[in-house]
Amino acid sequence: MDEIIRVEKIAKHYGSTEALSGVSFSVQQGEVIGLLGPNGAGKTTLMKILTGYLQPDQGQVFIDGIDILEHPSEVQSRVGYLPENAPMYPELTVQSYLRMIAELRQVDESKRDHLIASAVKAVKLEDKLVTPIGNLSKGYRQRVGIAQAILHRPKLLILDEPTNGLDPTQIVEVRKLIRSLAGESTVLLSTHILSEVEATCSRAIIIMNGKVRADARLEELSESSAAILSLESNISDLESVKAELKKLPDVTDIRHYSSQGREVIEIHTGSDRDICPELFKLAAKHNWPVTELRHTERTLETVFNELAREDVSQ
């Protein structure tokens, strides 16, 4: 599989503010990547560097194997970009706007009509071609923005908050559209909405305070070796239970809280093995009044919140 993006230890400062620090990652052809992070994390700065609008203070960026600092125009011909607030001309019709974009991108004149028609069909704008952009709903304007981004059939499609401001129906439609575009382009989707990534992407890169804090496929992020052991609240010696649990191999942390008349204990380990069978045997041996034994459910939100807490504590 071909490598579409390779970012090597890039950094970017705005005066004394460090927007990006030592950011590195790679993206393969055909992937749909969610670029996640809170507001001010550095996502937009990173996207502007990937599209050639900004230069990093240090590090290298390769798009489809081409150094963006040495050949920015060649890289930009391979990239489609939808900024959060895409610049449009409300007085232009959809068709006129896309023709203008095709000319600006220096699309071969013999191919323009075909490429415009393909982009319009992909985003389902056929019945809006002669409508002025200013008369379109927010959802349809987003479709126009995506159409201009895919018009030249880029290898890499970068979308910044593509569903921002849309109603629930429009959000579903745009998410479906993004998934369909993955067959033609590698997609990098920037957002601070966790459900957006879970619904659309196969992998997430989480950026906080200008640094990559996590980079993995969604199913890998959700994997957890921790277990939940719930006991009846009338257990006589909870401390002895915790002491026994800490003796188990690979146990790194024991967390306890009371909930709905039960004593709930989270057992975290330093390995990927399933600890539940050992917990069952231990509970049976000591006659603990078990009400529940299960793996913890780890979501993208859980991972994100864990990383955010770590950032605050550092």
Side-chain angles (χ1 to χ4, degrees), residues 249-314:
D250 298 325
V251 170
T252 58
D253 191 20
I254 300 289
R255 304 174 190 175
H256 163 251
Y257 58 92
S258 299
S259 174
Q260 298 179 342
R262 298 179 299 167
E263 303 301 330
V264 182
I265 305 173
E266 289 185 16
I267 303 98
H268 295 261
T269 71
S271 68
D272 293 331
R273 68 187 181 85
D274 183 1
I275 197 174
C276 284
E278 292 175 63
L279 292 175
F280 179 81
K281 291 178 182 177
L282 193 62
K285 176 183 176 182
H286 292 281
N287 249 350
W288 293 338
V290 176
T291 60
E292 183 181 29
L293 174 60
R294 60 175 174 83
H295 287 290
T296 56
E297 295 180 3
R298 201 161 182 249
T299 65
L300 186 57
E301 181 177 3
T302 306
V303 175
F304 190 88
N305 289 336
E306 287 174 0
L307 294 173
R309 284 195 296 270
E310 288 176 13
D311 261 22
V312 170
S313 64
Q314 288 176 358

Side-chain angles (χ1 to χ4, degrees), residues 27-258:
V27 176
Q28 305 301 311
Q29 181 179 341
E31 287 192 279
V32 182
I33 308 295
L35 183 61
L36 261 176
N39 292 329
K43 303 188 301 298
T44 298
T45 296
L46 175 58
M47 285 186 295
K48 287 181 177 179
I49 289 174
L50 292 176
T51 55
Y53 290 106
L54 280 179
Q55 289 191 356
D57 296 330
Q58 63 185 55
Q60 290 182 293
V61 177
F62 298 89
I63 304 295
D64 198 23
I66 303 169
D67 190 325
I68 196 167
L69 295 179
E70 294 183 4
H71 307 284
S73 296
E74 195 171 343
V75 165
Q76 287 171 343
S77 70
R78 288 164 163 77
V79 176
Y81 179 40
L82 175 66
E84 183 175 358
N85 296 301
M88 294 185 190
Y89 298 88
E91 70 278 8
L92 291 181
T93 65
V94 171
Q95 183 172 260
S96 299
Y97 174 73
L98 294 178
R99 284 191 181 280
M100 181 189 72
I101 295 297
E103 291 174 12
L104 290 172
R105 283 202 168 274
Q106 300 180 330
V107 173
D108 190 314
E109 195 169 350
S110 64
K111 298 178 181 178
R112 284 179 191 172
D113 287 345
H114 172 68
L115 291 176
I116 289 172
S118 295
V120 166
K121 183 178 180 181
V123 300
K124 295 182 172 57
L125 277 172
E126 294 95 334
D127 60 343
K128 302 293 183 181
L129 281 176
V130 295
T131 303
I133 292 174
N135 294 347
L136 296 175
S137 68
K138 172 71 173 177
Y140 273 107
R141 288 199 298 274
Q142 283 294 80
R143 288 174 183 267
V144 175
I146 294 173
Q148 65 81 25
I150 66 174
L151 180 62
H152 56 302
R153 294 188 174 172
K155 286 198 168 185
L156 173 62
L157 182 60
I158 298 177
L159 307 174
D160 189 2
E161 305 285 358
T163 62
N164 187 35
L166 301 185
D167 65 38
T169 300
Q170 293 167 338
I171 288 173
V172 171
E173 291 174 350
V174 171
R175 285 176 178 173
K176 184 178 178 181
L177 172 59
I178 292 169
R179 288 193 293 268
S180 71
L181 294 174
E184 294 283 336
S185 305
T186 298
V187 179
L188 183 66
L189 167 70
S190 171
T191 183
H192 62 278
I193 302 172
L194 303 179
S195 59
E196 191 86 357
V197 174
E198 291 177 320
T200 312
C201 305
S202 56
R203 173 181 157 201
I205 297 174
I206 300 176
I207 293 183
M208 291 184 176
N209 291 324
K211 298 177 181 179
V212 174
R213 298 298 312 281
D215 179 2
R217 298 186 66 81
L218 295 189
E219 60 266 26
E220 293 170 350
L221 283 173
S222 63
E223 287 177 354
S224 173
S225 57
I228 293 288
L229 176 66
S230 294
L231 306 175
E232 293 178 1
S233 59
N234 60 1
I235 185 167
S236 58
D237 190 355
L238 193 57
E239 291 306 313
S240 67
V241 171
K242 295 179 186 178
E244 289 295 328
L245 292 173
K246 288 178 181 177
K247 294 178 184 177
L248 291 173
D250 298 325
V251 170
T252 58
D253 191 20
I254 300 289
R255 304 174 190 175
H256 163 251
Y257 58 92
S258 299

